[in-house]
């Protein structure tokens, strides 16, 4: 008889995504599922963390019209033309870079959406409901975006 | 003399909640506390994850009038009648089901609130402030809702 | 030859912050980094959890003008003078305290921002992008605020 002793496991990966539009929803679900499978994680957490202040991580349905509704929602909550002090070069003194963009709206939208999502893994499978998908939300693209993915829990067979 | 060696522990449960209203805040705190106690988790995390795209998990105060204020807030941020493309049967082609509901507003509200909450457990007790309670937020009810709850950390006495 | 056997590690701290304004962003990054270093956490998670219903934890850029933009955003989403039922002493019956404040707006803002952030730690370093900082967001200050910080993962050298 074989005794299965759970062993602690921990894996980390950074993935880079090149976005193509100012606002864009990039479905990461298949990539995350592949990482969980490769890591041989049986039970535990996957924390998916954007390393940016104008890109978010969210869960919702991958239906193209709904993604345009989300864009409308974000534009209502933090309109691009609302006049952000962050974008006022006449008064701004901190964190000014050579390639500074007009992106106060993007920071505000990221604040509302959140930077990371922590998901459960059970019996080797990422826990997602029928319609749930994991998205990187680009809010100030196009840019290269890095996402830190850490898996912690009990491993393998 | 007894030596206390911490041992890694991991438990998972799915709970099902039948909601009764279009918008509803269901207090899960007592259920989560009971699960932590049963799992004998001493130090670690409890990640409470909604498996739906129109139901959220949040922390806040359980005061009935405040919950109606939250409903007003959500209605201001994503009005039910704003005309969502997700609900337009003349153009919608993806993920169409037989029992499709008019629920673009519910997806938008869920996006703002978030799908999961990760809580700390210390010395066997769920860390919650005096007024903090864990809520499932139904945004497109009534429906049956499943919540995945995973606990990971150090067990035992 | 030395064999590096990962050992499970778990540390918890509560930090108290005295805030000075009704709305305030307090940068916790250096404190969190010091805690990760002291805990000798090599790989794992740090979950930073506000123990309050009118104070949030968020990630974004520490640029003073941007923080005023965030305040404007919150005031648009949940205006202070919108007339919250939670603040109506003529109908309120639940959770009434002697030092009750007019703070319906603060609860609504906290609901949108979220109570906690879970961050990855890799090779002993808190994973944060170039501009990312961890903030406690005071929404109903001045007050004394407690933050629960739990670190779980693999320790040591």
């Amino acid at each position: 008889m074989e005794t299965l002793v759970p062993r602690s496991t921990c894996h980390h990966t950074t993935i880079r995504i090149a976005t193509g539009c100012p606002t864009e929803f990039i479905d990461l679900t298949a990539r995350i599922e592949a990482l969980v499978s490769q890591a041989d994680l049986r039970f535990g957490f996957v924390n998916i963390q954007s390393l940016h202040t104008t890109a978010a991580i969210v869960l919702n349905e991958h239906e193209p019209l709904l993604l345009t509704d989300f864009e409308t929602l974000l534009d209502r909550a933090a309109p691009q033309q609302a006049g952000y002090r962050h974008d006022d070069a006449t008064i701004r003194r901190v964190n000014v870079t050579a390639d500074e963009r007009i992106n106060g709206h993007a920071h505000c939208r990221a604040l509302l959406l959140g930077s990371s999502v922590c998901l459960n893994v059970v019996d080797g499978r990422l826990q997602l409901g029928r319609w749930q998908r994991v998205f990187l939300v680009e809010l100030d693209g196009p840019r290269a975006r890095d996402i830190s993915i850490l898996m912690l829990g009990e491993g393998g067979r």
Side-chain angles (χ1 to χ4, degrees), chain A:
Chain A
M1 206 187 83
E2 194 185 21
T3 305
L4 303 174
V5 181
R7 55 178 177 74
S8 166
T9 188
C10 185
H11 292 266
H12 179 258
T13 309
T14 304
I15 60 176
R16 174 163 289 197
I17 308 275
T19 64
C21 305
T23 303
E24 195 175 346
F25 290 78
I26 293 117
D27 191 329
L28 304 177
T29 315
R31 273 176 250 226
I32 310 283
E33 283 174 337
L35 288 171
V36 169
S37 175
Q38 287 160 31
D40 205 23
L41 179 67
R42 272 199 70 198
F43 287 94
F45 300 129
V46 182
N47 193 47
I48 305 146
Q49 185 192 329
S50 158
L51 296 176
H52 305 275
T53 52
T54 55
I57 305 289
V58 301
L59 289 187
N60 215 291
E61 183 180 348
H62 194 162
E63 191 280 292
L65 298 177
L66 183 61
L67 301 181
T68 68
D69 289 327
F70 289 160
E71 197 168 339
T72 303
L73 171 81
L74 294 170
D75 201 50
R76 195 168 41 222
Q80 190 164 0
Q81 309 300 340
Y84 298 90
R85 301 186 75 212
H86 180 65
D87 298 328
D88 184 347
T90 67
I91 53 171
R92 173 89 177 274
R93 296 292 173 268
V94 177
N95 293 355
V96 182
T97 60
D99 60 344
E100 199 64 36
R101 296 193 188 184
I102 300 296
N103 66 2
H105 65 289
H107 284 281
C108 287
R109 294 172 186 190
L111 192 79
L112 293 176
L113 294 183
S115 304
S116 64
V117 164
C118 185
L119 295 175
N120 299 336
V121 173
V122 177
D123 230 350
R125 297 193 55 194
L126 195 62
Q127 295 297 286
L128 286 175
R130 181 180 178 193
W131 304 114
Q132 285 184 311
R133 296 293 178 276
V134 185
F135 290 97
L136 166 68
V137 189
E138 173 60 82
L139 297 162
D140 186 35
R143 284 191 191 262
R145 298 301 197 173
D146 292 318
I147 300 148
S148 165
I149 299 166
L150 197 141
M151 292 165 273
L152 181 73
E154 295 180 357
R157 224 135 289 183

